[in-house]
Amino acid sequence: MPAALPDTGARHGNPLMLQLNPTPPAPGRWRTILENDFFPKNRRRDIDGLRGLAIALVVLFHAGWLKGGFIGVDVFVVISGYFMGRSALMQHPFQPVRFVCRRLYRLLPALLCMVALVSAGMLWWVLQSDRADIALNGAYALVYLSNIWASGHVGYFQGQAVAYPFLHTWSLSLEMQFYAIIFIMALLLPLTRHRRLVLSAIFSASAAYCAYAWHTGDSQAYYNILDRLWQFALGTMVWMLPRPKLPRAAADAVYAAAVAVIVGAGLFYPLSYACPSWMTVFPCVAVVLIIMLPDTRVGRWCLVPLSPLGVISYSVYLWHWPGIVVANYLLFFQVHGAMMAGVLALVMVVSLLSYVLVERTGLDYEDRAPVAARNRGAALLVAACLGLAAVLAYISHVSRVH
């Protein structure tokens, strides 16, 4: 679940800010846009690289090449909490309309495009029973309730998961649900000390709920926002934790250990360690340590090279799973080996095009459009998602009836 790109307008001088002094590129200058996005000089590229590492773990897990790659979702969740803590709780004054528009332009265009194209390409030739479930999953994905649909239909780690091209949108639904929670907090809690108290309470309650789900063996808790809120809250609480002041060598050592924990979890964690599990604490804390230690040599060596992948991580996440599912349908066997490598190579091309033509276009428009036009555009995006969701729900209903 890739974390949202940072908003523009970050404060100067804070080394934890991903974007310190952004200057939006001139409209239409794609070379400038791509240079600023993929090789920025005023942004923490190691956090982009951390997102690149997370999406690599998820994709390799879904390809069947990495048994613990599911931990990449936990990494994304903590990063998302960090970004939203800045966008909602650390902005003074909070701008609710701008916050909502930024989220909508960031997420909806690419999601709408993916669901529309995959539905148009698949639903007319799959089996009727599959069509009903796929269409309904797509409808839930467009209204950000996919996690609720998934919890009642399929286990994420079960074999039938490969039949649903929109199953992976469960994590995007969790992210949007967290946005709603933090939006309400930003509106109702104007004092920072109250936010700290509420965040601590959310963290504690969610961690306790997650521990209970782990104790009772509730595997469907993997999809539950209540079991994930502690991870979001942990990322948000970075803004309220004391900043470590370590010698350069010590900071490098801690940073390296944190990266090693995440990579080690991706390589060696068994499925039994997936959330809800107390073992997810280690990679989540590792993410916090990386965020809190800017400008390390280890970060420049290990994570910065992955930053271009992190920039397009949302598009990669959107397209990689439908690519794998469609390939399995078309070839009538489980794709693996060289065939899987070919599928993922094609996915990367599609993801790059999605980022350049859809994601970047939406964000650039949101940056430069007049306020009234920006707000109208956001409303149209919501209407388009609701309209396509209604169409898919109708297709699902008709398919079941007949």
Side-chain angles (χ1 to χ4, degrees):
M1 178 192 60
L5 286 173
D7 294 330
T8 56
R11 292 186 186 89
H12 296 266
N14 188 335
L16 292 181
M17 290 296 180
L18 185 68
Q19 186 122 4
L20 298 181
N21 185 21
T23 302
R29 297 178 59 189
W30 284 108
R31 180 176 178 179
T32 302
I33 290 173
L34 295 178
E35 287 178 352
N36 288 346
D37 280 357
F38 289 99
F39 305 100
K41 298 178 181 179
N42 54 356
R43 195 165 76 203
R44 278 194 61 183
R45 294 182 63 199
D46 63 327
I47 298 184
D48 280 340
L50 184 59
R51 293 191 304 179
L53 174 60
I55 192 60
L57 292 175
V58 171
V59 171
L60 294 177
F61 170 70
H62 285 156
W65 296 343
L66 203 62
K67 68 177 183 178
F70 58 85
I71 209 70
V73 171
D74 302 87
V75 173
F76 274 126
V77 168
V78 177
I79 296 174
S80 182
Y82 166 72
F83 284 144
M84 291 307 99
R86 190 202 67 186
S87 298
L89 300 186
M90 304 304 294
Q91 294 287 350
H92 303 289
F94 176 58
Q95 299 175 321
V97 176
R98 183 66 193 275
F99 176 86
V100 171
C101 285
R102 190 68 176 175
R103 306 281 77 71
L104 295 179
Y105 278 100
R106 170 73 177 96
L107 300 174
L108 265 58
L111 176 67
L112 182 62
C113 179
M114 184 274 291
V115 173
L117 291 179
V118 173
S119 297
M122 278 193 75
L123 293 181
W124 60 276
W125 56 264
V126 297
L127 295 175
Q128 187 170 305
S129 58
D130 288 346
R131 183 189 308 124
D133 284 339
I134 291 171
L136 189 60
N137 187 191
Y140 272 81
L142 288 166
V143 295
Y144 289 97
L145 296 174
S146 183
N147 60 318
I148 295 175
W149 179 89
S151 66
H153 286 78
V154 60
Y156 191 67
F157 303 116
Q158 297 174 1
Q160 68 267 33
V162 78
Y164 303 106
F166 307 127
L167 181 61
H168 66 311
T169 59
W170 68 270
S171 63
L172 305 180
S173 297
L174 284 181
E175 187 169 355
M176 187 62 81
Q177 290 159 22
F178 171 69
Y179 292 170
I181 292 170
I182 204 166
F183 175 79
I184 293 171
M185 286 179 58
L187 287 178
L188 300 182
L189 300 172
L191 299 179
T192 302
R193 65 177 182 274
H194 290 166
R195 292 169 183 167
R196 184 180 293 112
L197 177 63
V198 172
L199 272 175
S200 300
I202 289 174
F203 174 86
S204 301
S206 175
Y209 188 89
C210 186
Y212 176 77
W214 170 72
H215 178 72
T216 58
D218 182 8
S219 60
Q220 295 303 85
Y222 188 80
Y223 298 118
N224 197 328
I225 183 65
L226 297 178
D227 290 274
R228 298 279 184 173
L229 268 179
W230 69 269
Q231 297 176 330
F232 284 110
L234 183 64
T236 304
M237 291 167 67
V238 169
W239 297 103
M240 302 172 188
L241 297 173
R243 304 291 178 252
K245 296 181 179 179
L246 301 177
R248 180 175 292 273
D252 284 338
V254 172
Y255 199 106
V259 173
V261 166
I262 295 172
V263 173
L267 291 173
F268 302 114
Y269 267 22
L271 296 181
S272 59
Y273 286 178
C275 184
S277 167
W278 65 275
M279 292 297 291
T280 58
V281 170
F282 297 106
C284 289
V285 170
V287 173
V288 170
L289 291 175
I290 288 172
I291 292 173
M292 296 185 71
L293 292 172
D295 194 28
T296 64
R297 288 172 294 186
V298 176
R300 291 193 294 272
W301 295 339
C302 296
L303 293 183
V304 168
L306 293 174
S307 61
L309 179 60
V311 170
I312 65 170
S313 58
Y314 178 55
S315 281
V316 175
Y317 188 83
L318 282 177
W319 287 101
H320 83 281
W321 183 246
I324 293 172
V325 171
V326 170
N328 278 279
Y329 267 103
L330 292 177
L331 298 174
F332 301 104
F333 62 83
Q334 188 167 358
V335 176
H336 61 277
M339 187 65 70
M340 178 64 75
V343 170
L344 295 183
L346 180 59
V347 163
M348 291 303 298
V349 174
V350 173
S351 300
L352 182 58
L353 292 174
S354 174
Y355 176 79
V356 172
L357 301 178
V358 182
E359 271 192 76
R360 187 66 257 174
T361 300
L363 287 173
D364 187 46
Y365 176 80
E366 193 272 342
D367 273 334
R368 59 185 172 83
V371 173
R374 182 196 69 197
N375 295 346
R376 284 196 302 270
L380 288 174
L381 282 173
V382 173
C385 286
L386 293 176
L388 182 55
V391 171
L392 292 176
Y394 176 75
I395 292 174
S396 176
H397 172 70
V398 172
S399 299
R400 293 188 196 282
V401 170
H402 295 89

